[in-house]
Amino acid sequence: MRKQWIQGCAALAVSLFAVFGFPHAVQAETPETALEGVYIENISVGGMNEEEITEAVNARVEELKNCVISLNAGNQSVQTTAGELGLTCTNTDVVRQALYAGQRGNVLDRFKVQRYLEETGPEVLELQFSVDQEAVRSVIENQAGAMNTAAVDATLTLEDGSFVVHEGQDGYVINTDASVEKVVNYMSTDWHGGNGGVILVTDVDEAQGDTEQLALVHDALGSSSTDYSGSNSNRKQNVKRGAELVNGTILYPGEEFSMQEIVVPFTEENGYAPAASYEMGSVVETYGGGICQVSTTLYLAVLRAELEVTERHNHSMIVNYVKPSMDAAIAEGYKDFKFVNNTDAPIYIMGYADGSEIGFVIYGHETRDPNRTVTYESETLTTTESTTELVADSSASYGSVTLESSGHTGYTARLWKVVTVNGEETREQVNSSTYNMTPNTYHVGTSTSDSAALAAMQSAIASNDLSKVSEAAAQYPGGTSPASSSSDTGSSTSDSGQTTDDSSSGYGSSGSSSSGGSSGGGDSGTSSSGQGSSNGQTDSAQTSGAESSDTGGEGGSE
């Protein structure tokens, strides 16, 4: 019995030495082929030479590259392959091990190993694997990253006039570094071929929101609406888009609202169209023109809810859909409208725009005294009527007048908050505003080769007085000096002068149609702020100007 045990141990030792190698001093010559009963993985390499074994191993590795490896996160999964993970065989010396198995040492040693293989079964050598760390990272970032699940915050919706609170749900984000390490370890130590899978490492993305606080929201704290029925289709589109973006906003106590963060960028891709807006004292077409009527309407609702306004700007020029100092202009990059929820509960902003009226209602938790009322009063401090500005136009016919842009009346104003409690009134100034005056700008034609006529018209233009333009046009009809040769010619000149007078009168009427004429110049500035004009034609021009004031005064630029 003892002899058999010793022989068995010897045989086992010889087998292990055959696999892991003998000292060079006892190595036999390189065998031509591996012994029968030697396997690499599931490949019988018996009878194969070194080149054939190498080819068989390489083919096996290529085959294993097609194995599917599932990367799992939560209840989601993406499939990749071992090849995409950069699979390689790390123990390439397995070929030599297989070749020398049972064929090292002296004759007795080799005999014992061969006898051991016959009695105990095949000798199976395993392949060892690794994957490329950067390939694994690429797969996780570009494929598995799609499994990241954003948290769904607790929220509030207004349904059929009642608020419904919705529970939040945590999300998760794949931890790339930790997941790369886990996949590499799995493929190097635990995976031995075939399809496999790894549960990736994830970090919790906690849902925000407090359902108990949201349940407090049910009272209307403040509301406001303004009319935009006279706007063109593009401006209406912008007003509606702005209201859509603000609608449904929830602000928790202490959080600050930024109008710009909600409504920018002013691009076609974000749902805006070109419409009139203020820019550098002029009315221009920009994407988002009309958005300031959205911020202005919300501003009035915020005031009535008595939230804390932290940033507000008036327009550079007056608008006519609210009283002075009741507006809130925004301009991407430098003017914003901001306020803080200074109440003890969340607020919910409901907004709408129906094509004629835009409005906002701010809901929250009402804690104010029901016997307390709050109103706001606009006070105009100064008024600066629009002036006239004449600009020479050498390409236009002599004496012609064209209204280039309607002016705006300038104002300074302030807004008062009036609080009444049990009949006692207190007043507090909310803001002050300055609205620039801009002139009515006319282009006056100076096309003439007559130096005297040109000098007369240039002098009239320098005076910025339309009546003097009319006088110059009458004195030099068509830009030509009157003839003074004979009495007949003089009579003709007189007749011509009379005709010129009539023409001047007609010109005044013509000028009126585009500019208000010589007598309507001052009135045009007045009518630009909606204060009337001297004739129907000036009214027509002014109606267009006033609409620009309304339409442009709250545009995307400002």
Side-chain angles (χ1 to χ4, degrees):
M1 176 68 72
R2 180 176 176 83
K3 182 179 180 180
Q4 291 177 343
W5 180 82
I6 292 174
Q7 289 176 340
C9 289
L12 178 59
V14 170
S15 176
L16 294 175
F17 271 87
V19 174
F20 297 107
F22 287 84
H24 292 289
V26 295
Q27 284 189 12
E29 294 181 1
T30 302
E32 291 186 4
T33 60
L35 294 178
E36 294 295 334
V38 176
Y39 283 74
I40 298 178
E41 295 283 332
N42 61 348
I43 307 169
S44 174
V45 297
M48 291 185 183
N49 59 30
E50 184 173 356
E51 182 179 352
E52 291 170 335
I53 297 173
T54 299
E55 291 177 356
V57 169
N58 290 340
R60 174 61 176 163
V61 172
E62 289 302 312
E63 178 185 352
L64 292 175
K65 286 182 179 180
N66 295 319
C67 293
V68 175
I69 307 298
S70 297
L71 304 179
N72 307 300
N75 58 357
Q76 299 185 81
S77 177
V78 296
Q79 278 71 47
T80 185
T81 64
E84 289 178 326
L85 298 176
L87 181 71
T88 57
C89 175
T90 59
N91 60 331
T92 54
D93 61 339
V94 72
V95 173
R96 302 283 290 182
Q97 291 178 19
L99 192 61
Y100 279 105
Q103 302 191 73
R104 287 190 175 189
N106 56 38
V107 175
L108 179 59
D109 291 334
R110 296 198 298 273
F111 171 78
K112 289 178 179 179
V113 172
Q114 294 171 18
R115 185 67 177 271
Y116 178 79
L117 290 174
E118 294 173 358
E119 292 179 352
T120 61
E123 184 73 21
V124 180
L125 304 176
E126 292 186 353
L127 295 175
Q128 297 173 5
F129 303 101
S130 182
V131 288
D132 180 76
Q133 183 169 315
E134 290 308 311
V136 173
R137 181 179 296 276
S138 177
V139 169
I140 290 176
E141 290 179 345
N142 298 324
Q143 297 182 39
M147 295 189 293
N148 288 336
T149 302
V152 178
D153 295 340
T155 190
L156 197 64
T157 57
L158 185 58
E159 301 176 10
D160 298 325
S162 299
F163 283 102
V164 178
V165 178
H166 303 273
E167 295 278 351
Q169 183 176 347
D170 289 343
Y172 56 82
V173 178
I174 294 171
N175 185 319
T176 301
D177 290 340
S179 294
V180 168
E181 183 179 355
K182 189 172 183 180
V183 171
V184 170
N185 289 340
Y186 168 76
M187 296 298 293
S188 301
T189 59
D190 299 333
W191 184 73
H192 300 289
N195 296 336
V198 183
I199 298 176
L200 301 180
V201 180
T202 58
D203 298 326
V204 176
D205 179 17
E206 293 185 359
Q208 303 298 307
D210 186 326
T211 55
E212 291 184 2
Q213 278 201 318
L214 290 174
L216 295 174
V217 178
H218 49 73
D219 303 314
L221 305 181
S223 63
S224 179
S225 63
T226 58
D227 180 85
Y228 71 107
S229 58
S231 300
N232 61 32
S233 59
N234 279 9
R235 187 176 184 278
K236 286 184 176 182
Q237 176 180 326
N238 296 337
V239 170
K240 181 179 180 180
R241 179 57 177 157
E244 289 174 347
L245 292 171
V246 175
N247 180 48
T249 298
I250 296 173
L251 211 62
Y252 281 83
E255 291 184 341
E256 185 176 50
F257 173 95
S258 165
M259 189 72 178
Q260 275 208 45
E261 289 181 4
I262 297 293
V263 299
V264 298
F266 298 122
T267 61
E268 183 177 6
E269 293 73 19
N270 199 25
Y272 293 106
S277 62
Y278 287 163
E279 185 174 272
M280 302 296 292
S282 301
V283 177
V284 298
E285 292 280 315
T286 61
Y287 278 95
I291 194 66
C292 287
Q293 185 163 356
V294 181
S295 58
T296 292
T297 308
L298 180 59
Y299 174 56
L300 295 177
V302 166
L303 289 178
R304 290 162 186 164
E306 296 186 87
L307 302 178
E308 180 186 354
V309 176
T310 53
E311 183 178 346
R312 171 264 172 189
H313 304 270
N314 60 271
H315 288 81
S316 59
M317 297 178 288
I318 197 69
V319 296
N320 63 14
Y321 50 82
V322 291
K323 294 178 180 179
S325 260
M326 288 187 171
D327 60 327
I330 65 169
E332 187 170 1
Y334 70 99
K335 282 187 178 182
D336 201 354
F337 168 50
K338 296 180 180 180
F339 62 89
V340 170
N341 177 7
N342 57 348
T343 72
D344 66 347
I347 61 169
Y348 177 94
I349 304 175
M350 188 275 285
Y352 66 90
D354 60 13
S356 297
E357 180 181 88
I358 175 175
F360 290 101
V361 181
I362 298 175
Y363 292 94
H365 180 216
E366 183 62 86
T367 59
R368 294 172 293 183
D369 186 345
N371 295 318
R372 178 176 176 274
T373 61
V374 177
T375 58
Y376 292 87
E377 293 181 3
S378 168
E379 179 186 9
T380 298
L381 301 175
T382 64
T383 300
T384 304
E385 297 296 341
S386 184
T387 59
T388 299
E389 180 178 299
L390 305 182
V391 179
D393 185 352
S394 60
S395 65
S397 59
Y398 187 84
S400 63
V401 178
T402 304
L403 177 64
E404 184 67 18
S405 63
S406 296
H408 295 79
T409 302
Y411 296 93
T412 59
R414 58 188 173 186
L415 186 66
W416 293 95
K417 178 180 180 181
V418 182
V419 179
T420 305
V421 181
N422 297 322
E424 294 187 8
E425 182 180 288
T426 59
R427 300 171 69 85
E428 174 187 356
Q429 183 173 324
V430 177
N431 67 44
S432 61
S433 305
T434 298
Y435 303 94
N436 298 329
M437 181 278 293
T438 61
N440 294 289
T441 303
Y442 300 88
H443 280 194
V444 179
T446 60
S447 177
T448 179
S449 58
D450 189 307
S451 59
L454 178 61
M457 187 59 70
Q458 287 177 333
S459 176
I461 291 171
S463 72
N464 285 320
D465 187 339
L466 282 172
S467 64
K468 292 187 176 181
V469 170
S470 296
E471 291 174 2
Q475 183 178 359
Y476 297 95
T480 303
S481 297
S484 56
S485 54
S486 65
S487 59
D488 291 340
T489 305
S491 175
S492 173
T493 300
S494 174
D495 291 340
S496 175
Q498 180 61 48
T499 302
T500 301
D501 285 342
D502 292 341
S503 174
S504 171
S505 175
Y507 150 74
S509 176
S510 173
S512 212
S513 117
S514 65
S515 65
S518 62
S519 63
D523 289 340
S524 180
T526 301
S527 59
S528 74
S529 60
Q531 297 181 12
S533 60
S534 60
N535 60 57
Q537 295 194 16
T538 305
D539 263 343
S540 175
Q542 182 46 49
T543 299
S544 175
E547 186 173 349
S548 293
S549 173
D550 177 24
T551 308
E554 64 298 332
S557 293
E558 182 237 311

